[in-house]
Amino acid sequence: MCGIVTAIATRNIVPVLLEGLRKLEYRGYDSAGLAVLHNGEMVRLRSAGRVAELASLADNRQLQANIGIAHTRWATHGVPSERNAHPHVSAGLAVVHNGIIENFETIKADLQAKGYVFESDTDTEAIAHLLHHKLQSGVDLFEAVRLTTNELLGAYAIGVVTEADPFRAIVARRGSPLLLGVGEDGMYAASDTAALLQVTRKVVYLEDGDLAELRLDGYKVVLADGTPVEREVHLSSLSADAVELGKYRHYMQKEIFEQPQALANTLEMIAGGGSISAQIFGVSATESLAATRRVLVLACGTSYHSALVARYWIESIAKIPCTVEIASEYRYRESVPDPETLVVVISQSGETADTLAALKHAKSLGMSKTLAICNVPESAIVREAALRFITRAGPEIGVASTKAFTTQLAALALLTLALAKQHGRLSAEDETRYLTALRHLPVAVAKVLELEPQIEQWAQKFSGKQHALFLGRGRHWPIAMEGALKLKEISYIHAESYAAGELKHGPLALVDKEMPVIAIAPADELLEKLKSNLQEVRARGGELYVFADAGSEIPESEGVHILHMPEHYGMLSPVLHVIPLQLLSYHAALVKGTDVDKPRNLAKSVTVE
Ligand code: G6P
């Protein structure tokens, strides 16, 4: 979380910093700030609100500069306020930071003893003063940043500018993402590529421990010990359109409607072929998958829900035992390691601290068969895993995950088939049948999206409610969980999900006419069981909203609203059933007038524990 931008160029870089922050707002948006050298003097502007407020402050000051740093924040240390907003300064130098400095209290106490006065509650201010202290010892700026970062424990991506050294900006990273942009008129750095597309496509990914000096005429990168190092220049293929809203009102809406394309892109490798190859997970995947005796899937949030669906698939189709665990639990739990287990980590961003730590933990326990399913190819999680599958959803900006989820499901369906095949449990006939269903998935999703007008009407009714229950069974239970998560995330309506069979063991006590109950009713083998559960709700006066496949034969009646989904889609039905739940949350949030793309208190990539 938190986004940083750094720029040094012959043009006025103030608009570049602000536009970069707008693109990074998904990483945090509780305050924003910048520091630039305006006519040789450091000017710092900060706002406790959004980037738009910072932009109007910069406008009022008619700020112009050729070098500067900027930040958009998701608070960790210290409440969101102007005082805690970055940049943090220490006599003529300014620092922006993304990450958490674990030993900042020791550093702070030491600096306070030396006479430094702290103005904020942040860990970042300790970096600013420590850097100032290093500079006092006579070393140059670059060396001072290197010595400072070597004393930091935890994760950081930082940007530094100083009044005394106006011809270079310094950046460094460990744990938090940071890349350089090589421009025609100068050098840039940011937390992700989207922030830099406005000025360049030439990007250099920094590695953990790297330190870089940015000048008007170029840059240099060194390792933590000061040894110069070459890092490859990549030409980003990310299109500017991918990060623009276009005709849509919100990123979440855009991303919901991009799902057919995102799925088609993710499934491109099976578009023509008649068979599944384990190689799509990496060169050593054939061997790894064949030797897999168990699967352990680790993830957080929405990615965890995709893992839960996969458990049903892997056990029923590949017949391999599969457990799924929340990454933040697994990393601190005493578990029994097993080298024959394939450890799968799922993450949209590839940055989630708990998921990354869980992967490292599994490796430290001797589990070397690891696979990352991720939407960001250069991310830390991808680099840490032995095998990889990159979902091709394109950048997901809305905090509530949508297209990342359905493309993760597509990847997990491929993994299920590859495992089943390696273990001789996939007949040629089934392989063809599943692959055909996968190939048609984008079209099937597009059809479900056409149900939007009816869902909009349902959302009107929902928006007045305080609570909601979501029910599902089997592989649709995780979809009920995802529906409840979506609703609470963006509409702030309290929502819980239950395996429908559990209703009578407690939650039924909550059901009355004020409690809408949303049921996922695919025409599968559990339908009759689910219908009994729905009767239990109706008998207590609960109002039912049922997403029923054609063939489910649940009649509409007083208090029972039915939305008819297309034909049952077999194994892949969860991918279709999540779509109306995404739309329901989106429209409920619209009616409630919440900030859909930037819900309160949340952030897109959670790089802290
Ligand atoms: C945050 C986001 C969620 C996301 C979760 C895991 O909480 O708000 O939308 O599901 O992180 O993120 P990841 O990038 O690891 O999938």
Side-chain angles (χ1 to χ4, degrees):
M1 22 255 275
C2 299
I4 67 175
V5 192
T6 301
I8 175 165
T10 47
R11 76 172 87 181
N12 174 19
I13 51 86
V14 176
V16 177
L17 294 179
L18 291 168
E19 181 54 20
L21 289 187
R22 281 187 201 103
K23 291 286 181 288
L24 292 176
E25 254 189 322
Y26 74 89
R27 302 180 65 84
Y29 37 81
D30 57 41
S31 50
L34 56 78
V36 297
L37 296 185
H38 177 74
N39 298 329
E41 265 179 43
M42 181 83 74
V43 176
R44 173 174 64 159
L45 297 179
R46 296 182 296 171
S47 133
R50 298 280 166 88
V51 173
E53 283 174 38
L54 181 70
S56 57
L57 290 179
D59 249 20
N60 294 344
R61 290 282 300 260
Q62 299 195 329
L63 208 54
Q64 300 233 351
N66 301 107
I67 179 169
I69 52 179
H71 187 269
T72 178
R73 180 170 187 248
W74 187 86
T76 56
H77 293 80
V79 295
S81 64
E82 190 179 326
R83 195 171 65 90
N84 286 329
H86 298 212
H88 290 283
V89 294
S90 186
L93 70 85
V95 177
V96 285
H97 165 223
N98 166 29
I100 288 196
I101 304 305
E102 286 162 10
N103 58 338
F104 92 98
E105 273 167 344
T106 323
I107 297 174
K108 183 173 177 176
D110 192 40
L111 289 164
Q112 280 172 325
K114 291 186 169 92
Y116 284 93
V117 177
F118 282 71
E119 292 174 351
S120 75
D121 308 315
T122 66
D123 50 348
T124 307
E125 196 179 354
I127 307 178
H129 292 315
L130 183 59
L131 181 55
H132 179 264
H133 181 64
K134 298 284 179 208
L135 283 167
Q136 299 308 297
S137 69
V139 295
D140 83 330
L141 178 63
F142 195 60
E143 181 62 2
V145 175
R146 194 183 72 80
L147 294 174
T148 299
T149 50
N150 281 351
E151 285 185 30
L152 305 178
L153 296 180
Y156 60 80
I158 59 169
V160 179
V161 289
T162 69
E163 250 174 28
D165 206 340
F167 300 111
R168 56 182 172 166
I170 314 295
V171 297
R173 73 158 287 213
R174 183 182 296 280
S176 302
L178 189 67
L179 51 98
L180 308 184
V182 184
E184 294 283 316
D185 60 351
M187 283 297 301
Y188 304 87
S191 303
D192 84 18
T193 318
L196 297 183
L197 284 179
Q198 52 169 330
V199 283
T200 184
R201 288 192 170 279
K202 286 188 196 165
V203 295
V204 177
Y205 297 101
L206 296 182
E207 300 281 335
D208 270 351
D210 282 359
L211 190 75
E213 175 186 274
L214 316 184
R215 301 178 314 272
L216 277 179
D217 61 350
Y219 67 101
K220 72 171 177 189
V221 184
V222 303
L223 302 175
D225 64 4
T227 318
V229 65
E230 287 291 323
R231 298 278 179 231
E232 210 182 319
V233 181
H234 297 260
L235 201 58
S236 170
S237 57
L238 189 64
S239 89
D241 285 356
V243 288
E244 294 299 339
L245 260 181
K247 63 179 182 187
Y248 295 99
R249 213 170 137 188
H250 296 100
Y251 280 106
M252 183 181 181
Q253 182 193 26
K254 176 177 185 250
E255 288 155 9
I256 289 173
F257 282 89
E258 277 174 351
Q259 287 178 108
Q261 192 57 53
L263 283 162
N265 293 345
T266 300
L267 293 165
E268 200 183 335
M269 75 278 291
I270 58 150
S275 68
I276 178 105
S277 158
Q279 299 275 314
I280 57 176
F281 298 97
V283 276
S284 59
T286 313
E287 202 185 314
S288 264
L289 298 195
T292 293
R293 295 284 158 260
R294 270 162 291 277
V295 178
L296 168 64
V297 197
L298 304 167
C300 304
T302 288
S303 298
Y304 170 69
H305 293 155
S306 74
L308 288 174
V309 175
R311 183 164 73 98
Y312 287 89
W313 289 342
I314 291 173
E315 296 218 346
S316 72
I317 296 168
K319 311 279 182 220
I320 294 174
C322 175
T323 35
V324 174
E325 199 162 339
I326 290 172
S328 56
E329 283 298 309
Y330 174 76
R331 64 181 288 196
Y332 291 120
R333 184 172 76 80
E334 279 188 39
S335 55
V336 183
D338 166 22
E340 294 187 324
T341 293
L342 174 70
V343 180
V344 181
V345 282
I346 309 176
S347 173
Q348 184 282 129
S349 60
E351 266 187 60
T352 304
D354 283 321
T355 311
L356 178 60
L359 171 59
K360 288 183 177 168
H361 178 63
K363 285 171 70 178
S364 76
L365 295 176
M367 295 201 271
S368 57
K369 282 205 275 283
T370 56
L371 163 67
I373 294 179
C374 190
N375 197 35
V376 181
E378 297 297 332
S379 61
I381 286 176
V382 170
R383 280 188 272 174
E384 193 68 34
L387 303 174
R388 63 181 59 184
F389 184 95
I390 306 300
T391 51
R392 292 172 58 201
E396 193 181 65
I397 311 285
V399 165
S401 184
T402 53
K403 63 177 179 171
F405 178 71
T406 42
T407 53
Q408 285 165 355
L409 287 178
L412 289 161
L414 293 173
L415 176 64
T416 303
L417 299 183
L419 278 167
K421 192 166 179 179
Q422 289 307 312
H423 288 258
R425 290 168 191 147
L426 189 68
S427 67
E429 196 182 49
D430 281 347
E431 184 173 5
T432 308
R433 190 165 54 84
Y434 287 131
L435 288 177
T436 307
L438 273 166
R439 270 187 223 112
H440 286 119
L441 196 54
V443 175
V445 167
K447 258 179 140 175
V448 179
L449 286 168
E450 288 170 14
L451 299 171
E452 189 183 26
Q454 196 177 338
I455 297 166
E456 234 177 307
Q457 286 176 11
W458 280 16
Q460 295 285 346
K461 300 185 191 173
F462 261 83
S463 50
K465 302 287 182 190
Q466 303 288 323
H467 310 275
L469 286 182
F470 285 69
L471 301 181
R473 292 192 81 125
R475 57 188 182 271
H476 295 85
W477 173 29
I479 297 304
M481 293 182 187
E482 177 59 9
L485 177 64
K486 288 279 92 73
L487 193 68
K488 60 189 146 195
E489 264 181 316
I490 60 164
S491 74
Y492 314 149
I493 297 171
H494 172 225
E496 296 300 334
S497 57
Y498 289 94
E502 271 297 288
L503 193 66
K504 55 188 174 293
H505 298 297
L508 196 55
L510 295 170
V511 171
D512 62 13
K513 63 179 181 17
E514 290 308 319
M515 176 67 86
V517 177
I518 297 103
I520 299 147
D524 65 8
E525 59 288 355
L526 294 169
L527 181 64
E528 291 312 314
K529 304 279 171 212
L530 181 81
K531 281 182 180 171
S532 310
N533 305 137
L534 301 189
Q535 291 300 336
E536 293 158 14
V537 172
R538 266 320 284 150
R540 273 89 189 163
E543 194 159 12
L544 280 167
Y545 293 84
V546 186
F547 293 93
D549 286 352
S552 289
E553 287 171 6
I554 303 174
E556 190 134 17
S557 59
E558 171 78 24
V560 183
H561 312 281
I562 310 286
L563 189 136
H564 292 285
M565 298 277 291
E567 291 303 312
H568 180 54
Y569 211 71
M571 165 201 174
L572 296 170
S573 164
V575 184
L576 299 196
H577 268 277
V578 77
I579 309 286
L581 303 184
Q582 297 169 344
L583 286 167
L584 184 66
S585 304
Y586 174 68
H587 285 288
L590 279 192
V591 180
K592 291 198 74 179
T594 58
D595 192 339
V596 174
D597 286 332
K598 302 185 189 78
R600 68 185 178 203
N601 307 339
L602 301 180
K604 184 81 186 152
S605 347
V606 184
T607 52
V608 296
E609 276 195 47

mmCIF file of all heavy atoms in Angstrom, residues 299-304 346-353 355 373-374 381 396 398-402 404 408 482 485-486 489 599 602-606, ligand 1:
data_model
loop_
_atom_site.group_PDB
_atom_site.id
_atom_site.type_symbol
_atom_site.label_atom_id
_atom_site.label_comp_id
_atom_site.label_asym_id
_atom_site.label_seq_id
_atom_site.Cartn_x
_atom_site.Cartn_y
_atom_site.Cartn_z
ATOM 1 N N ALA A 299 -3.698 -18.011 0.367
ATOM 2 C CA ALA A 299 -4.094 -16.736 -0.240
ATOM 3 C C ALA A 299 -4.831 -15.895 0.791
ATOM 4 O O ALA A 299 -5.090 -16.352 1.913
ATOM 5 C CB ALA A 299 -4.988 -16.993 -1.450
ATOM 6 N N CYS A 300 -5.190 -14.670 0.404
ATOM 7 C CA CYS A 300 -5.947 -13.762 1.274
ATOM 8 C C CYS A 300 -7.134 -13.186 0.488
ATOM 9 O O CYS A 300 -7.076 -13.077 -0.741
ATOM 10 C CB CYS A 300 -5.108 -12.552 1.687
ATOM 11 S SG CYS A 300 -3.565 -12.950 2.476
ATOM 12 N N GLY A 301 -8.144 -12.772 1.210
ATOM 13 C CA GLY A 301 -9.260 -12.013 0.628
ATOM 14 C C GLY A 301 -9.954 -12.762 -0.487
ATOM 15 O O GLY A 301 -10.234 -13.964 -0.403
ATOM 16 N N THR A 302 -10.201 -12.048 -1.570
ATOM 17 C CA THR A 302 -10.893 -12.638 -2.714
ATOM 18 C C THR A 302 -10.093 -13.801 -3.305
ATOM 19 O O THR A 302 -10.669 -14.808 -3.723
ATOM 20 C CB THR A 302 -11.146 -11.523 -3.761
ATOM 21 O OG1 THR A 302 -12.156 -10.683 -3.231
ATOM 22 C CG2 THR A 302 -11.593 -12.074 -5.087
ATOM 23 N N SER A 303 -8.784 -13.676 -3.314
ATOM 24 C CA SER A 303 -7.951 -14.764 -3.855
ATOM 25 C C SER A 303 -8.144 -16.042 -3.040
ATOM 26 O O SER A 303 -8.093 -17.152 -3.583
ATOM 27 C CB SER A 303 -6.474 -14.360 -3.838
ATOM 28 O OG SER A 303 -6.290 -13.238 -4.662
ATOM 29 N N TYR A 304 -8.372 -15.881 -1.744
ATOM 30 C CA TYR A 304 -8.638 -17.051 -0.885
ATOM 31 C C TYR A 304 -9.936 -17.736 -1.327
ATOM 32 O O TYR A 304 -10.030 -18.961 -1.344
ATOM 33 C CB TYR A 304 -8.717 -16.568 0.568
ATOM 34 C CG TYR A 304 -9.226 -17.584 1.561
ATOM 35 C CD1 TYR A 304 -8.475 -18.699 1.904
ATOM 36 C CD2 TYR A 304 -10.475 -17.417 2.173
ATOM 37 C CE1 TYR A 304 -8.947 -19.630 2.819
ATOM 38 C CE2 TYR A 304 -10.954 -18.333 3.089
ATOM 39 C CZ TYR A 304 -10.186 -19.448 3.412
ATOM 40 O OH TYR A 304 -10.663 -20.364 4.311
ATOM 41 N N ILE A 346 -1.948 -17.749 -4.382
ATOM 42 C CA ILE A 346 -2.758 -16.988 -5.341
ATOM 43 C C ILE A 346 -2.792 -15.536 -4.887
ATOM 44 O O ILE A 346 -3.097 -15.251 -3.721
ATOM 45 C CB ILE A 346 -4.197 -17.525 -5.397
ATOM 46 C CG1 ILE A 346 -4.188 -19.039 -5.613
ATOM 47 C CG2 ILE A 346 -4.998 -16.839 -6.507
ATOM 48 C CD1 ILE A 346 -5.567 -19.664 -5.583
ATOM 49 N N SER A 347 -2.476 -14.648 -5.803
ATOM 50 C CA SER A 347 -2.494 -13.223 -5.449
ATOM 51 C C SER A 347 -2.664 -12.394 -6.713
ATOM 52 O O SER A 347 -1.918 -12.586 -7.676
ATOM 53 C CB SER A 347 -1.183 -12.857 -4.756
ATOM 54 O OG SER A 347 -1.103 -11.473 -4.544
ATOM 55 N N GLN A 348 -3.621 -11.496 -6.712
ATOM 56 C CA GLN A 348 -3.773 -10.602 -7.853
ATOM 57 C C GLN A 348 -2.520 -9.756 -8.006
ATOM 58 O O GLN A 348 -1.907 -9.703 -9.060
ATOM 59 C CB GLN A 348 -5.007 -9.705 -7.642
ATOM 60 C CG GLN A 348 -5.356 -8.765 -8.791
ATOM 61 C CD GLN A 348 -4.481 -7.524 -8.856
ATOM 62 O OE1 GLN A 348 -3.939 -7.224 -9.932
ATOM 63 N NE2 GLN A 348 -4.290 -6.814 -7.780
ATOM 64 N N SER A 349 -2.130 -9.090 -6.903
ATOM 65 C CA SER A 349 -1.051 -8.107 -6.960
ATOM 66 C C SER A 349 0.327 -8.742 -6.948
ATOM 67 O O SER A 349 1.287 -8.153 -7.454
ATOM 68 C CB SER A 349 -1.150 -7.184 -5.744
ATOM 69 O OG SER A 349 -1.030 -7.965 -4.553
ATOM 70 N N GLY A 350 0.431 -9.908 -6.322
ATOM 71 C CA GLY A 350 1.751 -10.519 -6.140
ATOM 72 C C GLY A 350 2.563 -9.809 -5.079
ATOM 73 O O GLY A 350 3.772 -10.051 -4.940
ATOM 74 N N GLU A 351 1.917 -8.953 -4.317
ATOM 75 C CA GLU A 351 2.622 -8.141 -3.328
ATOM 76 C C GLU A 351 2.129 -8.385 -1.918
ATOM 77 O O GLU A 351 2.729 -7.877 -0.964
ATOM 78 C CB GLU A 351 2.296 -6.666 -3.597
ATOM 79 C CG GLU A 351 3.231 -5.925 -4.436
ATOM 80 C CD GLU A 351 2.817 -4.467 -4.421
ATOM 81 O OE1 GLU A 351 2.795 -3.865 -3.352
ATOM 82 O OE2 GLU A 351 2.489 -3.953 -5.504
ATOM 83 N N THR A 352 0.989 -9.029 -1.758
ATOM 84 C CA THR A 352 0.361 -9.154 -0.443
ATOM 85 C C THR A 352 1.343 -9.760 0.562
ATOM 86 O O THR A 352 1.839 -10.877 0.375
ATOM 87 C CB THR A 352 -0.913 -10.012 -0.561
ATOM 88 O OG1 THR A 352 -1.728 -9.381 -1.545
ATOM 89 C CG2 THR A 352 -1.658 -10.104 0.740
ATOM 90 N N ALA A 353 1.624 -8.996 1.617
ATOM 91 C CA ALA A 353 2.694 -9.373 2.547
ATOM 92 C C ALA A 353 2.442 -10.745 3.164
ATOM 93 O O ALA A 353 3.362 -11.561 3.263
ATOM 94 C CB ALA A 353 2.817 -8.310 3.634
ATOM 95 N N THR A 355 0.708 -13.290 2.036
ATOM 96 C CA THR A 355 0.828 -14.381 1.064
ATOM 97 C C THR A 355 2.297 -14.642 0.738
ATOM 98 O O THR A 355 2.744 -15.794 0.670
ATOM 99 C CB THR A 355 0.017 -14.058 -0.208
ATOM 100 O OG1 THR A 355 -1.287 -13.642 0.201
ATOM 101 C CG2 THR A 355 -0.103 -15.246 -1.131
ATOM 102 N N ILE A 373 0.020 -18.174 -8.724
ATOM 103 C CA ILE A 373 -0.983 -17.746 -9.710
ATOM 104 C C ILE A 373 -1.199 -16.271 -9.442
ATOM 105 O O ILE A 373 -1.638 -15.874 -8.352
ATOM 106 C CB ILE A 373 -2.286 -18.551 -9.559
ATOM 107 C CG1 ILE A 373 -1.995 -20.018 -9.912
ATOM 108 C CG2 ILE A 373 -3.400 -17.973 -10.440
ATOM 109 C CD1 ILE A 373 -3.169 -20.950 -9.787
ATOM 110 N N CYS A 374 -0.827 -15.458 -10.405
ATOM 111 C CA CYS A 374 -0.702 -14.028 -10.109
ATOM 112 C C CYS A 374 -1.023 -13.194 -11.352
ATOM 113 O O CYS A 374 -0.864 -13.666 -12.474
ATOM 114 C CB CYS A 374 0.740 -13.792 -9.656
ATOM 115 S SG CYS A 374 1.013 -12.184 -8.981
ATOM 116 N N ILE A 381 5.900 -12.172 -5.394
ATOM 117 C CA ILE A 381 5.393 -13.535 -5.208
ATOM 118 C C ILE A 381 5.754 -14.412 -6.407
ATOM 119 O O ILE A 381 6.166 -15.558 -6.254
ATOM 120 C CB ILE A 381 3.872 -13.503 -4.929
ATOM 121 C CG1 ILE A 381 3.649 -12.995 -3.494
ATOM 122 C CG2 ILE A 381 3.203 -14.856 -5.155
ATOM 123 C CD1 ILE A 381 2.211 -12.811 -3.065
ATOM 124 N N GLU A 396 -5.909 -4.275 -12.472
ATOM 125 C CA GLU A 396 -7.166 -4.153 -11.738
ATOM 126 C C GLU A 396 -6.999 -3.003 -10.748
ATOM 127 O O GLU A 396 -6.135 -3.041 -9.874
ATOM 128 C CB GLU A 396 -7.489 -5.462 -11.007
ATOM 129 C CG GLU A 396 -8.915 -5.484 -10.491
ATOM 130 C CD GLU A 396 -9.237 -6.773 -9.748
ATOM 131 O OE1 GLU A 396 -8.634 -7.020 -8.689
ATOM 132 O OE2 GLU A 396 -10.085 -7.543 -10.240
ATOM 133 N N GLY A 398 -9.904 -1.059 -9.251
ATOM 134 C CA GLY A 398 -10.931 -1.022 -8.201
ATOM 135 C C GLY A 398 -10.472 -1.878 -7.029
ATOM 136 O O GLY A 398 -9.950 -2.979 -7.241
ATOM 137 N N VAL A 399 -10.664 -1.380 -5.824
ATOM 138 C CA VAL A 399 -10.186 -2.135 -4.660
ATOM 139 C C VAL A 399 -10.895 -3.492 -4.562
ATOM 140 O O VAL A 399 -10.285 -4.503 -4.237
ATOM 141 C CB VAL A 399 -10.343 -1.293 -3.368
ATOM 142 C CG1 VAL A 399 -10.202 -2.151 -2.131
ATOM 143 C CG2 VAL A 399 -9.292 -0.193 -3.357
ATOM 144 N N ALA A 400 -12.196 -3.500 -4.861
ATOM 145 C CA ALA A 400 -12.932 -4.768 -4.817
ATOM 146 C C ALA A 400 -12.551 -5.591 -6.051
ATOM 147 O O ALA A 400 -12.752 -5.163 -7.186
ATOM 148 C CB ALA A 400 -14.426 -4.504 -4.790
ATOM 149 N N SER A 401 -11.999 -6.755 -5.816
ATOM 150 C CA SER A 401 -11.466 -7.566 -6.914
ATOM 151 C C SER A 401 -12.589 -8.270 -7.685
ATOM 152 O O SER A 401 -13.483 -8.859 -7.087
ATOM 153 C CB SER A 401 -10.515 -8.595 -6.305
ATOM 154 O OG SER A 401 -9.897 -9.335 -7.311
ATOM 155 N N THR A 402 -12.548 -8.199 -8.998
ATOM 156 C CA THR A 402 -13.586 -8.834 -9.824
ATOM 157 C C THR A 402 -12.949 -9.685 -10.928
ATOM 158 O O THR A 402 -12.962 -10.906 -10.870
ATOM 159 C CB THR A 402 -14.522 -7.777 -10.441
ATOM 160 O OG1 THR A 402 -13.726 -6.795 -11.123
ATOM 161 C CG2 THR A 402 -15.389 -7.126 -9.382
ATOM 162 N N ALA A 404 -9.894 -10.137 -11.561
ATOM 163 C CA ALA A 404 -8.766 -10.945 -11.065
ATOM 164 C C ALA A 404 -9.300 -12.269 -10.539
ATOM 165 O O ALA A 404 -8.705 -13.327 -10.761
ATOM 166 C CB ALA A 404 -8.016 -10.203 -9.968
ATOM 167 N N GLN A 408 -8.459 -15.943 -11.954
ATOM 168 C CA GLN A 408 -7.811 -16.916 -11.048
ATOM 169 C C GLN A 408 -8.546 -18.248 -11.130
ATOM 170 O O GLN A 408 -7.927 -19.316 -11.155
ATOM 171 C CB GLN A 408 -7.862 -16.415 -9.594
ATOM 172 C CG GLN A 408 -6.874 -15.298 -9.285
ATOM 173 C CD GLN A 408 -7.180 -14.579 -7.977
ATOM 174 O OE1 GLN A 408 -8.191 -14.850 -7.314
ATOM 175 N NE2 GLN A 408 -6.316 -13.662 -7.597
ATOM 176 N N GLU A 482 -17.778 -14.897 -1.416
ATOM 177 C CA GLU A 482 -17.283 -13.783 -2.229
ATOM 178 C C GLU A 482 -18.373 -12.721 -2.392
ATOM 179 O O GLU A 482 -18.101 -11.522 -2.346
ATOM 180 C CB GLU A 482 -16.787 -14.327 -3.585
ATOM 181 C CG GLU A 482 -16.301 -13.303 -4.582
ATOM 182 C CD GLU A 482 -15.140 -12.438 -4.105
ATOM 183 O OE1 GLU A 482 -14.554 -12.702 -3.049
ATOM 184 O OE2 GLU A 482 -14.863 -11.452 -4.808
ATOM 185 N N LEU A 485 -18.527 -10.777 0.801
ATOM 186 C CA LEU A 485 -17.351 -9.893 0.924
ATOM 187 C C LEU A 485 -17.520 -8.659 0.035
ATOM 188 O O LEU A 485 -17.279 -7.528 0.463
ATOM 189 C CB LEU A 485 -16.073 -10.662 0.545
ATOM 190 C CG LEU A 485 -14.779 -9.851 0.547
ATOM 191 C CD1 LEU A 485 -14.434 -9.344 1.946
ATOM 192 C CD2 LEU A 485 -13.597 -10.662 0.010
ATOM 193 N N LYS A 486 -17.953 -8.882 -1.205
ATOM 194 C CA LYS A 486 -18.129 -7.761 -2.141
ATOM 195 C C LYS A 486 -19.117 -6.753 -1.555
ATOM 196 O O LYS A 486 -18.883 -5.556 -1.576
ATOM 197 C CB LYS A 486 -18.666 -8.217 -3.507
ATOM 198 C CG LYS A 486 -17.723 -8.966 -4.409
ATOM 199 C CD LYS A 486 -16.770 -8.092 -5.189
ATOM 200 C CE LYS A 486 -15.469 -7.865 -4.502
ATOM 201 N NZ LYS A 486 -14.497 -8.896 -4.398
ATOM 202 N N GLU A 489 -17.630 -4.872 1.442
ATOM 203 C CA GLU A 489 -16.501 -4.026 1.043
ATOM 204 C C GLU A 489 -16.948 -2.691 0.471
ATOM 205 O O GLU A 489 -16.395 -1.651 0.811
ATOM 206 C CB GLU A 489 -15.715 -4.721 -0.081
ATOM 207 C CG GLU A 489 -14.512 -5.513 0.323
ATOM 208 C CD GLU A 489 -13.820 -6.136 -0.882
ATOM 209 O OE1 GLU A 489 -14.497 -6.691 -1.788
ATOM 210 O OE2 GLU A 489 -12.607 -6.075 -0.929
ATOM 211 N N PRO A 599 -13.225 2.162 -1.364
ATOM 212 C CA PRO A 599 -14.015 2.034 -0.140
ATOM 213 C C PRO A 599 -13.202 2.428 1.099
ATOM 214 O O PRO A 599 -11.981 2.269 1.112
ATOM 215 C CB PRO A 599 -14.400 0.562 -0.107
ATOM 216 C CG PRO A 599 -13.555 -0.120 -1.109
ATOM 217 C CD PRO A 599 -13.055 0.892 -2.076
ATOM 218 N N LEU A 602 -9.863 0.667 3.227
ATOM 219 C CA LEU A 602 -9.243 -0.466 2.519
ATOM 220 C C LEU A 602 -8.149 0.005 1.564
ATOM 221 O O LEU A 602 -8.011 1.192 1.308
ATOM 222 C CB LEU A 602 -10.306 -1.231 1.730
ATOM 223 C CG LEU A 602 -11.462 -1.800 2.549
ATOM 224 C CD1 LEU A 602 -12.441 -2.533 1.647
ATOM 225 C CD2 LEU A 602 -10.952 -2.721 3.648
ATOM 226 N N ALA A 603 -7.393 -0.941 1.055
ATOM 227 C CA ALA A 603 -6.418 -0.642 0.000
ATOM 228 C C ALA A 603 -6.318 -1.858 -0.899
ATOM 229 O O ALA A 603 -6.719 -2.950 -0.520
ATOM 230 C CB ALA A 603 -5.056 -0.324 0.595
ATOM 231 N N LYS A 604 -5.786 -1.627 -2.069
ATOM 232 C CA LYS A 604 -5.739 -2.690 -3.076
ATOM 233 C C LYS A 604 -4.650 -3.723 -2.785
ATOM 234 O O LYS A 604 -4.906 -4.906 -2.784
ATOM 235 C CB LYS A 604 -5.504 -2.040 -4.438
ATOM 236 C CG LYS A 604 -5.524 -3.007 -5.587
ATOM 237 C CD LYS A 604 -6.924 -3.325 -5.993
ATOM 238 C CE LYS A 604 -7.001 -4.393 -7.041
ATOM 239 N NZ LYS A 604 -8.276 -5.119 -6.943
ATOM 240 N N SER A 605 -3.421 -3.242 -2.614
ATOM 241 C CA SER A 605 -2.360 -4.210 -2.315
ATOM 242 C C SER A 605 -1.955 -4.014 -0.870
ATOM 243 O O SER A 605 -1.534 -2.928 -0.491
ATOM 244 C CB SER A 605 -1.124 -4.026 -3.181
ATOM 245 O OG SER A 605 -1.381 -3.195 -4.221
ATOM 246 N N VAL A 606 -2.094 -5.071 -0.104
ATOM 247 C CA VAL A 606 -1.850 -4.940 1.331
ATOM 248 C C VAL A 606 -0.456 -5.471 1.629
ATOM 249 O O VAL A 606 -0.250 -6.654 1.854
ATOM 250 C CB VAL A 606 -2.949 -5.659 2.134
ATOM 251 C CG1 VAL A 606 -2.759 -5.439 3.611
ATOM 252 C CG2 VAL A 606 -4.307 -5.117 1.714
HETATM 253 C C1 G6P B 1 -6.806 -6.677 -0.373
HETATM 254 C C2 G6P B 1 -7.779 -6.309 -1.477
HETATM 255 C C3 G6P B 1 -8.621 -7.524 -1.842
HETATM 256 C C4 G6P B 1 -7.719 -8.701 -2.203
HETATM 257 C C5 G6P B 1 -6.732 -9.026 -1.079
HETATM 258 C C6 G6P B 1 -5.674 -10.022 -1.529
HETATM 259 O O1 G6P B 1 -7.492 -6.891 0.813
HETATM 260 O O2 G6P B 1 -8.602 -5.244 -1.086
HETATM 261 O O3 G6P B 1 -9.430 -7.198 -2.950
HETATM 262 O O4 G6P B 1 -8.501 -9.818 -2.470
HETATM 263 O O5 G6P B 1 -6.030 -7.833 -0.711
HETATM 264 O O6 G6P B 1 -4.920 -9.425 -2.539
HETATM 265 P P1 G6P B 1 -4.051 -10.186 -3.608
HETATM 266 O O7 G6P B 1 -3.406 -9.090 -4.412
HETATM 267 O O8 G6P B 1 -3.046 -10.998 -2.842
HETATM 268 O O9 G6P B 1 -4.953 -11.032 -4.407
#
